[in-house]
Amino acid sequence: MTRSGADLALLLLGGYRSLVESVTAELAARGHADVRPVHDFAMRAIASGADTASELGRRLEVSKQAAAKTIAVLLERGYVRRGADPDDARRKRVEVTPLGWEVMHQGEALFDARRDEWAGRIGPERLAELERQLAELVGDAVVRPEAAGGAAQD
Amino acid sequence: MTRSGADLALLLLGGYRSLVESVTAELAARGHADVRPVHDFAMRAIASGADTASELGRRLEVSKQAAAKTIAVLLERGYVRRGADPDDARRKRVEVTPLGWEVMHQGEALFDARRDEWAGRIGPERLAELERQLAELVGDAVVRPEAAGGAAQD
DNA sequence: CCAGCATAGTCAACCCGGTTGTCGAAATGC
DNA sequence: GCATTTCGACAACCGGGTTGACTATGCTGG
């Protein structure tokens, strides 16, 4: 039985969703109900040096306005803080707060736990093989989670 | 080298995106520039019996209003047509037009071509194995493409 | 038969994370 | 000095979701 190409696409999406929903739900249960994949992704980029709206936009491959919006949300939720840039009066520097780091660490641990579960179900060798194949097929293009990263919600 | 769980999630998403973007771009090149994955998905559901807004909403696991919105878009673009239901004056029946079918058929063929390419790169056996594993891990939950199914766009 | 309830589609407002355009301020380079 | 570039902020808009409310229609049990 050969699957259709569209089936394959939805299987991949389903796999992604399965992981993300599980992690998002657990983070919510731990009190972080407002964390979306794209927020986590943005925080990681900020933590790794994209600490202005413009740079974040470039890193995420979205407009600087979109990046600024994301920063605004993160600010509002206390995941990042912002201040002036001593070297350039136009810029504002952003950095991840301890709360932001906490959320990122928990998210990371939860994703790893989910991966471990998958490894337990199909075997670590086969999972590693799956990852290798995907990496080969997809390459290393920037893949940014989308805002509506969750499942259909009722 | 063991990958992180978050890496795995993004690999899956990248795989999905890779397929979808390729198909969407080719459909655009063929004159169907306004087709989104969620539209195609909705048309398939309509074609398979979810031919009212309420039923489509249930099928897609979104609100009836969201389903109606999608139908409105499809109507506007000529992919579906709509008429009264002779058996129930509350209802409106929707059906896919020849243009809608054309788009779906092309999309299907393009997805299958992409899958064939993947099979050519990692081997048909390994691709089938990958699909089996994903199916096992994900199960058969309804997976609906999201609106912003494309990649980050500049 | 009919009141009460359920269901249909429509209208409206809102959300979220994107887009593009514009603006004044600051920085850069010739 | 000045033309150009870059910065963040403001604004409007988009697409695909959400919820609430409404009128019309259908169903059912007393």
Side-chain angles (χ1 to χ4, degrees), chain B residues 97-115:
Chain B
T97 61
L99 175 62
W101 281 107
E102 176 65 25
V103 168
M104 283 198 289
H105 287 321
Q106 289 192 25
E108 193 166 332
L110 288 169
F111 268 114
D112 288 342
R114 293 302 168 274
R115 185 185 178 281

Side-chain angles (χ1 to χ4, degrees), chain A residues 18 27-28 52 68 80 86 89 96-97 130:
Chain A
S18 171
L27 281 175
T52 65
V80 303
V96 178
T97 62
L130 186 151

Side-chain angles (χ1 to χ4, degrees), chain A residues 38-39 63 65 69 88-90 144 147:
Chain A
V38 73
H39 299 154
S63 66
Q65 291 95 335
K69 267 190 176 178
D88 187 333
R90 296 170 301 181
R144 177 178 54 88

Side-chain angles (χ1 to χ4, degrees), chain B residues 8-79:
Chain B
L8 171 59
L10 289 182
L11 275 176
L12 291 164
L13 182 62
Y16 169 75
R17 288 265 182 75
S18 169
L19 290 173
V20 165
E21 280 159 21
S22 173
V23 169
T24 304
E26 183 58 35
L27 280 176
R30 297 185 183 187
H32 306 297
D34 53 5
V35 179
R36 298 293 183 79
V38 73
H39 298 154
D40 181 79
F41 196 75
M43 280 193 273
R44 290 182 193 287
I46 289 166
S48 72
D51 61 355
T52 66
S54 296
E55 186 56 38
L56 185 62
R58 282 189 289 271
R59 180 73 71 84
L60 301 187
E61 297 188 359
V62 298
S63 65
K64 60 180 176 173
Q65 290 93 336
K69 267 189 177 179
T70 299
I71 289 173
V73 170
L74 295 176
L75 267 177
E76 191 178 292
R77 294 178 185 168
Y79 296 139

